[in-house]
Amino acid sequence: MDGFDIAGWGMAVPERRVTTTELAARFDIDEEWIISRCGIHERRAIDPGQSTASLAIDAGRVALERAGLTGKDIAHLIVASATPEQLSPATSAFVHHGLGIAGSAHDVNAECSGFIYGLVTGAALMKVDPRPILLIGSDTHSTQINPADRDLSILVGDGAGAIVLKPTETDWVLAWNLGADGSRQDSLRVQAGGSRMPTSATTFADGLHFSEIKGNEIYLNAVRFTVRSVRATLEQAGLTVDDVDHFVPHQANIRIINSILDHTGLKPEKLVTNLWKYGNTASASMPIAMSEALDEGRFKDGDLVLLAGFGAGMTWGSALLKWGGVSA
């Protein structure tokens, strides 16, 4: 058995809501301008005592319960995140302990593409070691935002989403595509805190531990690379956009999502989005959207579900799933 079944799913978001009304007042801008620009009415932010790992543990626990498993049944834990619990050890170590995972654990940092990277990694791992895998995307970008940064403050939200992969004889992944362009690594970055620019009084004073974004550059390249990835995945599968039943993009902002729809020809009615109420939750955005869609019964056996996203680095990726799988 070298295929997998998505046997469980779950999500976790903080209770605290940050509304667009609140941000419009803080930055002295029009509320409708924010909504038209990013499509977000509210987003969630962690409170003291919560963290990337605590959200991941909460989402993972729900996914395990739905799959009828416990941490002792999991052979491999993959945590996708760009906002780690701390620099060392990996966030997955904290999640591993919190959920009582029996097997291995590692992190994936491809920024907002992390869940796709983790899914493809998990699918490949299943082929060499067909045992249950827990894949979690969790991010708390609210902790990295300069409170005076309007552009990022209106976008980001915190959350986690998880899925459980169980070995099966059917194959759910029809095609996939991953890519990166490291020459664009400064389009979205946190400069300080690593070996290249160690933490110092100067880095704190200069605000170099906050996220920085080049919005126009991100927009143009996000659309370009995601569209390219979607086309490559569909071509690999021998299918077209008309064959896709559901499109689950990275929930970045509504302008980027609409541009991807326009350039690929994917129909708006196939879109799965909850951007308006959670904002951009980075690595968590796709599994959170999937979890809500599954809770609503939107995905049926035989449906073709297309996942696609992009992230800092830059990175991008897409995967086409046949819900319920196809015989190997």
Side-chain angles (χ1 to χ4, degrees), residues 73-76 125-126 129-133 165-167:
D73 300 307
I74 298 300
H76 306 285
L125 189 57
M126 189 69 77
D129 185 10
R131 294 185 292 162
I133 295 171
L165 310 180
K166 289 178 68 174

Side-chain angles (χ1 to χ4, degrees), residues 47-60:
D47 284 314
Q50 294 182 301
S51 66
T52 296
S54 73
L55 292 178
I57 290 167
D58 289 345

Side-chain angles (χ1 to χ4, degrees), residues 12-34:
V13 294
E15 289 188 9
R16 182 159 64 96
R17 289 171 165 83
V18 180
T19 67
T20 293
T21 303
E22 176 185 338
L23 293 177
R26 182 199 299 178
F27 294 110
D28 192 25
I29 53 178
D30 183 63
E31 181 176 351
E32 288 304 315
W33 179 86
I34 298 177

Side-chain angles (χ1 to χ4, degrees), residues 98-248:
L99 292 174
I101 301 295
S104 69
H106 72 272
D107 284 13
V108 173
N109 182 356
E111 258 290 353
C112 302
S113 305
F115 181 76
I116 286 284
Y117 270 67
L119 178 63
V120 173
T121 300
L125 189 57
M126 189 69 77
K127 291 184 180 297
V128 296
D129 185 10
R131 294 185 292 162
I133 295 171
L134 176 60
L135 169 61
I136 305 174
S138 183
D139 269 307
T140 54
H141 274 286
S142 71
T143 62
Q144 293 185 344
I145 302 304
N146 186 329
D149 186 335
R150 181 198 68 185
D151 292 346
L152 281 172
S153 293
I154 66 176
L155 289 174
V156 302
D158 300 337
I163 59 173
V164 174
L165 310 180
K166 289 178 68 174
T168 179
E169 293 180 355
T170 57
D171 197 350
W172 285 45
V173 180
L174 300 186
W176 58 271
N177 173 266
L178 300 177
D181 181 355
S183 70
R184 303 180 190 278
Q185 45 76 30
D186 65 346
S187 58
L188 177 59
R189 63 184 180 179
V190 177
Q191 292 192 70
S195 61
R196 186 176 189 178
M197 188 182 294
T199 301
S200 69
T202 300
T203 62
F204 272 106
D206 291 344
L208 298 178
H209 294 265
F210 291 127
S211 296
E212 305 169 37
I213 189 172
K214 296 179 179 177
N216 288 336
E217 185 174 321
I218 284 284
Y219 173 83
L220 292 172
N221 289 313
V223 174
R224 177 183 298 121
F225 292 132
T226 305
V227 168
R228 184 183 298 173
S229 184
V230 164
R231 288 172 177 166
T233 291
L234 291 175
E235 182 178 356
Q236 183 186 136
L239 299 170
T240 71
V241 292
D242 293 330
D243 298 306
V244 174
D245 295 296
H246 310 281
F247 176 48
V248 187

